[in-house]
Every structure is written in structure tokens, then in C-alpha cells.
Amino acid sequence: MSGTITAKLAAGATAAATSAVENVAKTATTLTAGGGFAPREFYESSTQITRSYYLGHHASALNKMRQTISNVGLIIECRDFRVPICSWNPLLERSLAASAAGERSRIIVYTKHDLGPPSGNFSKETTIEGYTNGRYQSGKDIVKTLKKYHKNSSTTKDVMFLGTAQGARSRNDAPNNDKHLLESIKRVAREMDSLTGMRCMVVGMPNSGKSTLLNRLRAKGMGLPKAAQTGATPGVTRKIGTPVRIIAGESADDPSSAGLGEGVFIMDTPGVFIPYVSDPEDMLRLALVGSVKDGVIPSVTVADYLLYHLNLVDPKLYTRKFDLGRPTNDVHEFLRAVATRTGKLRKGSELNLENAADWVVQAWRRGDLGRFALEKVTEETLAQAVEKAREPTLSISQARKREKEARKVAQQMKWAGITAPPGGSVA
């Protein structure tokens, strides 16, 4: 199953994506021509945008996981709380389940909870219109919906919602903490009651917080320094790590350790991306949270997608910060203000919009430009995701062929004067 992204593919998408941004900017003029500001109600994603970040080491890591899974008693899957649906990788889940002799226990961990929407007690920064006009959900609402959904799974032993590492920027309303997760892991280990202890594997999409979680569990459970290298970009972990102890084994001095055998060990794994992302907006969501390497999708395009969300939540999140007198749907106007305020300049004092785009995306990822989820989490959207996951996994070449055929049929229908069905799909 091949889907490796090449430099040629990314470069080819740049021109089309930039053109799409320019079209959106033209639309912004008509929206604001009446004197009042009207944010875009939906985002017009270019169909030419890069739709994959499935690299060679992703495929080799997945094969290695299949070979190792027979020794694993628990899978801990990390998903990003800001994109709880599209950070789920059905290919990863199917591959590991298919490799198992029987059903294997899982714990789902939604990471970066404190970078998502607040649970309800809004701070000064997050008292924003988007939570009161119904466009965006509170963190409490998302947590409740996801817990209800996972409750119906026989293999999901627990669902956890964890924030980032403690610090001045961290919010303290995450429903769970490292201690809760360790207790949940212990319960699974006691159910296994193996003399040799239990092996865990932490899996997920790129940059979903797997290595960070391993280090936190090791520090909390064993009081030891970090064992896995971490970073803010995807691809830091490129191969499966050796098992690292996070929970000590049985001890006569500690009755609560009964049933843990030699203890609990955890293996770090590389993030594995989806071979092909059918919805271009999902690709933008994943790029904005950092699951896709910066530059694969043009930074101005990603910044434009961020601007779309900021306008729907509350334009004051950026108008005050970057001294803009009024909100805008024009990404170039937005980035000129960012570049001016942050000093992103080329030689000759020319504004550097690409560097400004990189800066503003990083600011949002840190939680410095509003904290909100990028997709709606309801019973309906979860059911749609499950239905989509049942479809055969396509490689990038297979998907391109299918889209080419669909465009050909659509063109023939247009010539014949036949209206396309709702949604524009003819495949």
C-alpha cells in the first residue's frame, strides 16, 4: 500500500492551493461590501490540495507493529482533542486488530485537552462569541459525547482526556490526569495477571503526543527521566522503541501491586498517517494541529483556514492582538497585519507573509490565539466517521484515478445538461 508524498506532489499542490486562497479573498470583498462583516459560513477547500502524508517509515512501522502485537496486552491510542474525529486512524486500528489472535484491550487517550475548548468556566481570554452562538462546542460537551460513544465498545477499557505538560499556559480543567491513566493501566494488567507483567503499545497519528505521554507515565509511575525523544513536529519517532517500564512489579511490601507480575512496560511507536484523506478540509485540520509536516500544505493556505475559524469563533481574538481596525476574510490583509505587528520582514522591509503565516499557526497551536476544536463532535458526525472507515483504504494513486474518473463523468454530465446529484458526487 503505497502513498509516499514526494516533493513534486507538494509543489504541484502549492499553486492550486494559493489560487484557492486568492479566490476566497475575492469573495471576502463582496461579503463586506455592505458595510457589516460577515464571516465565511463554510470553507472552500481546493480539491487539488495534497491529500496524504503517508511516508515510507509509516508503512514499515505499521508492518513492525503487526509483527510485535502478539506480545502486547494493551494498546494505548492517542488522539488530538482539537480534532477528535479526523485524528482517528482506522487503518491503524484495523491493522492491529487483524493481527491479534483475539480481542485486545484499548485505552483511548485524547491529548492536548487544555489546547481545546474550555469545559464551561470561561476565562477572560475564552469568553468568546463562538461558544454562545452555537457554532462551537464547549469542552464539556465534546467529552460527554465521546464518552457516550466509546461506552458501547467492548474492547475500549477506558477513555481519558489529558492536557499538555503542566506549565504557566496550561489550563487545569482536564477530566483526567497521569495518575488516573496509570490506575486504568494497572486494572488491565491485573485482569491479565501475568507473571511476566504486561506490555503496552502507544499508537496514533503523527504528533498526537505519544512520546510525551510515555515520558509522563514513566516520570509519574517510576520517578525516572524521559526515555523517548519528543518534538513539536511530526516524525521525531521513526521506529518502534524498546519496552520501557512505567509501573513497578509485584512487591511483598506493597499489597496493591498484586497481579502486576514483573510490572508494566510500554513501547513507543512512530505516528502513522492515513494513506489518503478523502476530505480536503480534514487534511487542513490535520495540518493546522501539526499532524502534517509544515510546508506540505502551503503555510498561507493553513493560515487562511485558521482565519476562517477565528472569524466564526470571535474576530476580536486577532483584531486586538494585531491592531486590525476591523475583521477580515482576506488572508493577505490578515497576514500583513501579523507581519507588521511581529516584524516578519524580508530584505528591503518587505512584509514576509509566509513567515507571518508560520508564526500565527504556531501561536494558535500553543493556545495563544484562542482555544477551540476544529470539528463538530455529535452522534451524527461520529456515525458518519464510522461509516467512512468501513470503506476500503485507498492509496494515493488509487484515489487519484478514482477522482479523475469522477471528474470525467461530471464533465460529460455537464455537456449533456444533466445536473449532478446533491453533494456534487458522481462516483
Side-chain angles (χ1 to χ4, degrees):
M1 188 179 293
S2 173
T4 304
I5 292 180
T6 63
K8 184 177 180 181
L9 176 61
T14 301
T18 303
S19 175
V21 169
E22 290 173 350
N23 289 336
V24 170
K26 291 176 183 177
T27 304
T29 304
T30 61
L31 285 171
T32 58
F37 176 72
R40 289 170 281 178
E41 291 294 335
F42 62 92
Y43 190 81
E44 297 181 10
S45 306
S46 170
T47 57
Q48 299 302 310
I49 202 167
T50 301
R51 301 286 190 86
S52 182
Y53 186 60
Y54 188 65
L55 306 178
H57 74 272
H58 294 179
S60 60
L62 192 56
N63 288 331
K64 185 68 175 177
M65 287 182 213
R66 293 191 186 106
Q67 298 168 14
T68 312
I69 195 68
S70 59
N71 298 320
V72 173
L74 173 67
I75 294 173
I76 301 174
E77 182 184 350
C78 292
R79 302 179 188 177
D80 193 315
F81 185 66
R82 298 166 296 178
V83 282
I85 297 177
C86 66
S87 62
W88 166 44
N89 188 343
L91 170 65
L92 188 60
E93 189 170 305
R94 284 198 302 267
S95 298
L96 299 183
S99 304
E103 296 293 345
R104 181 165 278 100
S105 296
R106 290 192 311 153
I107 294 176
I108 308 296
V109 179
Y110 289 94
T111 60
K112 308 179 185 181
H113 177 275
D114 56 327
L115 297 178
S119 292
N121 298 321
F122 301 152
S123 65
K124 182 178 180 181
E125 176 199 2
T126 53
T127 306
I128 48 184
E129 297 168 0
Y131 295 105
T132 56
N133 63 19
R135 285 193 177 111
Y136 285 79
Q137 296 169 282
S138 71
K140 184 177 182 180
D141 185 28
I142 295 175
V143 167
K144 181 180 178 181
T145 304
L146 289 172
K147 280 187 173 182
K148 182 179 179 181
Y149 166 74
H150 288 298
K151 190 176 181 180
N152 298 324
S153 172
S154 59
T155 57
T156 302
K157 292 294 185 179
D158 216 336
V159 183
M160 295 278 169
F161 299 85
L162 301 181
T164 56
Q166 294 298 315
R169 298 180 187 275
S170 295
R171 211 178 55 229
N172 223 3
D173 64 351
N176 308 111
N177 56 37
D178 300 341
K179 182 179 178 181
H180 294 147
L181 179 54
L182 284 169
E183 289 300 323
S184 185
I185 294 170
K186 285 181 182 178
R187 285 195 293 270
V188 177
R190 291 191 185 99
E191 288 177 10
M192 288 188 62
D193 196 17
S194 171
L195 290 175
T196 58
M198 183 178 73
R199 268 58 177 171
C200 307
M201 181 182 284
V202 58
V203 303
M205 292 275 276
N207 205 26
S208 58
K210 300 177 297 299
S211 300
T212 299
L213 180 63
L214 182 152
N215 289 332
R216 287 171 57 175
L217 293 177
R218 178 176 165 85
K220 186 70 176 178
M222 300 295 299
L224 296 173
K226 73 176 188 177
Q229 186 178 356
T230 60
T233 58
V236 174
T237 305
R238 300 185 71 86
K239 62 181 182 179
I240 296 179
T242 55
V244 173
R245 191 194 299 269
I246 58 171
I247 297 175
E250 291 185 20
S251 170
D253 299 328
D254 182 9
S256 66
S257 66
L260 296 178
E262 293 182 5
V264 177
F265 300 81
I266 191 169
M267 290 180 286
D268 195 14
T269 65
V272 176
F273 204 79
I274 305 166
Y276 177 74
V277 180
S278 58
D279 185 350
E281 189 170 349
D282 280 347
M283 195 69 185
L284 287 170
R285 291 184 179 106
L286 292 167
L288 182 51
V289 299
S291 285
V292 178
K293 186 177 180 180
D294 292 338
V296 172
I297 296 176
S299 58
V300 174
T301 303
V302 180
D304 183 52
Y305 188 62
L306 172 60
L307 175 63
Y308 158 72
H309 279 285
L310 290 172
N311 280 332
L312 288 176
V313 176
D314 186 0
K316 291 192 291 292
L317 286 168
Y318 69 88
T319 55
R320 293 172 178 172
K321 193 177 187 74
F322 304 119
D323 298 328
L324 264 171
R326 58 182 175 81
T328 179
N329 287 315
D330 185 342
V331 67
H332 299 107
E333 181 183 357
F334 170 62
L335 292 178
R336 282 194 292 271
V338 174
T340 301
R341 189 73 174 82
T342 59
K344 302 300 179 185
L345 305 174
R346 301 182 192 274
K347 288 183 178 180
S349 299
E350 179 188 355
L351 297 177
N352 191 327
L353 300 192
E354 289 75 19
N355 281 3
D358 290 335
W359 187 93
V360 80
V361 167
Q362 293 296 336
W364 182 79
R365 288 175 184 168
R366 294 191 302 268
D368 294 339
L369 203 58
R371 305 185 184 199
F372 46 86
L374 301 177
E375 55 189 350
K376 197 81 170 177
V377 182
T378 64
E379 291 184 7
E380 182 181 359
T381 57
L382 288 168
Q384 290 171 352
V386 171
E387 190 63 30
K388 185 189 291 187
R390 294 195 179 107
E391 299 174 0
T393 302
L394 299 177
S395 68
I396 188 73
S397 57
Q398 289 171 329
R400 281 177 181 164
K401 183 178 180 180
R402 178 177 289 188
E403 286 190 350
K404 184 178 180 181
E405 292 171 350
R407 286 196 299 269
K408 184 178 179 180
V409 171
Q411 189 64 41
Q412 290 172 344
M413 292 174 66
K414 182 179 179 181
W415 289 338
I418 302 173
T419 304
S425 176
V426 292

